[in-house]
Amino acid sequence: MIVIGSRGSALAMWQARYVAARLEALGEQIRIEVIKTSGDRIQDVPLAAAGGKGLFTKEIEEALLAGAIDLAVHSMKDLPTELAPGLAIAAIPEREDPRDALVGASLEAAAKIGTSSLRRAAQLRAFRSTLTIETLRGNVDTRLRKLDEGRYDSIVLAAAGLRRLGWENRIGEILPVEIMCPAGGQGALAIETRAGFGRGSELARKLDHAETRAAVEAERAFLAMMGGGCQVPIGAYARLDGGAIHLIAVVASPDGARTIRGHHHGPNPAVVGTELGQRLLDRGAREILDEIFTA
């Protein structure tokens, strides 16, 4: 019996069941263990204000290290770029659409937009400074309900989550990456295991998708250079084309007044991410991030 650790939200459970079904197709017996994380408990403040990395992964990783579970399934964008000692990303299955989606009024018509993400808020303000951005927390269904209650004109959610939960029909428009660069790792799943070659790691590696891993490695290398994750206004999107990784990225001030964008390509994902990170730091991203981290 292989035990998978997961958060209890509808999206997290979809992700865990997806991995469970893939492993069951290989002849394995699977059980899912639901674990509540710090991020699930904090619902009354913006995520950025809650501080710290790993808000949605820490307790699950502790259970993994303790041997209470064999595998952990995360949204890749929630996973810190530096894993806890003794842990490894054994597999990254094929990615869903990594872009952000607008639900509700069009971007041109909306006046009030809900999001819990500094990255999304900053890029929306850069696109149109007159937009009112208000905090929106909760699971996907909770956020959609708040939109339907009229609290916002539109909300921004990951297209991948909407599609996985069967709400693709709620997508009003997919935001171009030139306007809304996604979070690094968005749309991808991470199957985390204890480091080494145990049974869990051996099984998980069968679900790895090489093209997705290459793209995500470039994005995470960029994020590592920035010293941040999904709770800071940083976007990174990579794709594999013709044997080369093509990466675009953005660092923005929270008010959207300053945005540093760049792109890079090459054969080695980690090198592409690291080099683009250094370029953006040298062009002014370092000052923006220093202001955020010391605020």
Side-chain angles (χ1 to χ4, degrees):
M1 174 72 71
I2 297 296
V3 181
I4 295 175
S6 170
R7 295 171 58 207
S9 71
L11 182 55
M13 291 303 293
W14 184 97
Q15 296 169 171
R17 289 171 182 145
Y18 169 78
V19 171
R22 295 280 304 273
L23 293 176
E24 286 169 346
L26 298 175
E28 299 299 324
Q29 289 187 315
I30 307 296
R31 179 171 66 83
I32 297 173
E33 179 76 19
V34 175
I35 300 171
K36 196 163 189 176
T37 68
S38 301
D40 297 312
R41 297 187 182 95
I42 302 169
Q43 291 293 324
D44 56 350
V45 296
L47 288 175
K53 299 179 182 179
L55 281 173
F56 294 105
T57 61
K58 180 176 180 290
E59 288 81 0
I60 298 174
E61 290 183 325
E62 287 172 349
L64 187 57
L65 286 168
I69 60 176
D70 301 296
L71 306 174
V73 179
H74 309 285
S75 292
M76 179 63 80
K77 69 182 181 64
D78 292 335
L79 201 61
T81 53
E82 185 175 343
L83 301 183
L87 297 179
I89 300 174
I92 306 173
E94 188 170 3
R95 192 180 208 171
E96 188 36 285
D97 188 338
R99 295 173 295 175
D100 286 302
L102 192 71
V103 181
S106 71
L107 199 55
E108 287 73 21
K112 183 191 296 183
I113 298 182
T115 178
S116 63
S117 163
L118 271 180
R119 173 188 60 83
R120 289 169 177 155
Q123 291 185 86
L124 286 168
R125 291 180 177 119
F127 175 75
R128 201 170 95 211
S129 61
T130 57
L131 285 171
T132 297
I133 312 298
E134 295 199 354
T135 299
L136 173 64
R137 288 293 313 276
N139 297 327
V140 176
D141 53 347
T142 300
R143 298 185 191 198
L144 290 171
R145 175 177 53 77
K146 290 178 179 179
L147 172 68
D148 294 340
E149 290 171 351
R151 302 189 195 185
Y152 312 92
D153 296 313
S154 300
I155 61 176
V156 182
L157 297 169
L162 290 166
R163 288 183 168 138
R164 285 167 173 158
L165 291 172
W167 285 324
E168 186 172 4
N169 65 319
R170 297 298 305 266
I171 296 175
E173 59 183 292
I174 296 293
L175 298 175
V177 296
E178 294 79 14
I179 293 175
M180 182 67 69
C181 189
Q186 186 160 297
L189 303 182
I191 305 178
E192 192 176 26
T193 66
R194 290 181 290 278
F197 294 90
R199 180 66 174 150
S201 179
E202 178 185 355
L203 287 171
R205 282 197 295 273
K206 297 179 181 180
L207 306 186
D208 197 52
H209 186 254
E211 182 174 330
T212 298
R213 178 176 282 274
V216 169
E217 284 180 350
E219 294 165 6
R220 285 174 63 80
F222 174 82
L223 292 177
M225 285 294 294
M226 298 295 107
C230 65
Q231 306 312 326
V232 288
I234 299 170
Y237 167 65
R239 58 184 177 83
L240 189 63
D241 184 18
I245 285 289
H246 295 257
L247 174 65
I248 66 171
V250 61
V251 177
S253 61
D255 62 3
R258 292 170 292 165
T259 57
I260 312 295
R261 298 180 183 271
H263 59 87
H264 191 32
H265 69 277
N268 185 301
V271 171
V272 169
T274 299
E275 290 182 349
L276 182 56
Q278 189 60 59
R279 290 182 188 180
L280 266 60
L281 288 170
D282 292 342
R283 288 174 45 206
R286 190 184 308 278
E287 288 74 17
I288 292 175
L289 295 173
D290 283 347
E291 291 174 10
I292 293 169
F293 291 140
T294 58

